[in-house]
Amino acid sequence: DLFLKEEKVGLLEVYYLEEKPAGDLGPFLKEEEALLHAIANEVGKFIEARHAEQEHLRLVAAMEQASEAVMITGLDGDIRFVNPAFESIYGCNRHAILGKKYGPILRSGLEEEVEKQIQDSIRQGRNWNGRLSRRKDGMGIDLDLTVSPIRNQAGEIINYLFVGRDV
């Protein structure tokens, strides 16, 4: 049987081309059966990995194509990902800011109290939502910003997600 996340999704069938001898307990030796189960298990893992890879690519494509500015940072504040909309709205090149702290980018036009609210919220594992006014290329823009912690399967915060919409 082929399983994907503990759900049966297929069957691995193997046949002998010759008739089995009379008196045989089964068509396969125990070693052959163990090998077939191991092969089916590995095929299932491969299929699961391909599905996970396809889902990952779908999510990356969605974030790349979103009209909202998307930024992911590490817990240390280093920028790990920005999408093209982020580059456009914030007027910066992703290659120039990846690995750098996000503070200076958001801070321009950001009141100290608002920055403190954002930091307090995300450190406590809560979302922060608000509207920011900032300057871009000499003109003012208003952004609806949501900042959210990203958690792993154990519930631990591993990254932060910033999503901004030019309003």
Side-chain angles (χ1 to χ4, degrees), residues 82-112:
V82 297
N83 69 348
F86 183 95
E87 292 178 283
S88 175
I89 290 171
Y90 283 88
C92 56
N93 180 297
R94 79 172 63 193
H95 301 292
I97 63 170
L98 288 177
K100 296 198 165 97
K101 302 290 184 201
Y102 74 86
I105 294 166
L106 289 184
R107 210 170 279 133
S108 67
L110 191 63
E111 296 176 17
E112 193 173 311

Side-chain angles (χ1 to χ4, degrees), residues 16 24-38:
Y16 274 114
D24 240 359
L25 296 175
F28 302 107
L29 300 172
K30 287 185 192 232
E31 295 83 9
E32 292 172 323
E33 258 187 60
L35 176 62
L36 292 173
H37 284 292

Side-chain angles (χ1 to χ4, degrees), residues 4-158:
L4 202 74
K5 295 183 180 178
E6 300 180 15
E7 177 186 339
K8 185 177 177 179
V9 295
L11 182 66
L12 176 66
E13 293 186 322
V14 179
Y15 300 95
Y16 274 114
L17 294 176
E18 302 170 5
E19 215 173 295
K20 74 176 186 170
D24 240 359
L25 296 175
F28 302 107
L29 300 172
K30 287 185 192 232
E31 295 83 9
E32 292 172 323
E33 258 187 60
L35 176 62
L36 292 173
H37 284 292
I39 291 170
N41 189 35
E42 290 302 311
V43 168
K45 286 180 185 177
F46 174 78
I47 292 169
E48 189 172 329
R50 290 288 293 152
H51 284 182
E53 179 184 349
Q54 289 171 345
E55 181 66 15
H56 171 79
L57 292 173
R58 205 173 7 261
L59 290 172
V60 169
M63 290 195 348
E64 288 284 335
Q65 296 170 29
S67 59
E68 291 81 9
V70 177
M71 174 174 65
I72 298 174
T73 70
L75 298 179
D76 55 4
D78 287 352
I79 298 171
R80 306 282 169 84
F81 172 85
V82 297
N83 69 348
F86 183 95
E87 292 178 283
S88 175
I89 290 171
Y90 283 88
C92 56
N93 180 297
R94 79 172 63 193
H95 301 292
I97 63 170
L98 288 177
K100 296 198 165 97
K101 302 290 184 201
Y102 74 86
I105 294 166
L106 289 184
R107 210 170 279 133
S108 67
L110 191 63
E111 296 176 17
E112 193 173 311
E113 181 56 34
V114 173
E115 184 178 355
K116 184 179 178 331
Q117 289 173 7
I118 292 171
Q119 292 301 318
D120 289 346
S121 292
I122 61 177
R123 282 192 186 116
Q124 293 172 19
R126 298 187 326 245
N127 290 349
W128 182 89
N129 297 292
R131 180 162 289 177
L132 304 177
S133 293
R134 53 173 277 118
R135 307 291 296 169
K136 176 190 164 196
D137 302 332
M139 64 174 47
I141 60 171
D142 290 325
L143 294 172
D144 278 340
L145 181 66
T146 299
V147 185
S148 306
I150 299 174
R151 299 176 187 274
N152 64 14
Q153 291 180 333
E156 303 163 324
I157 297 172
I158 56 169

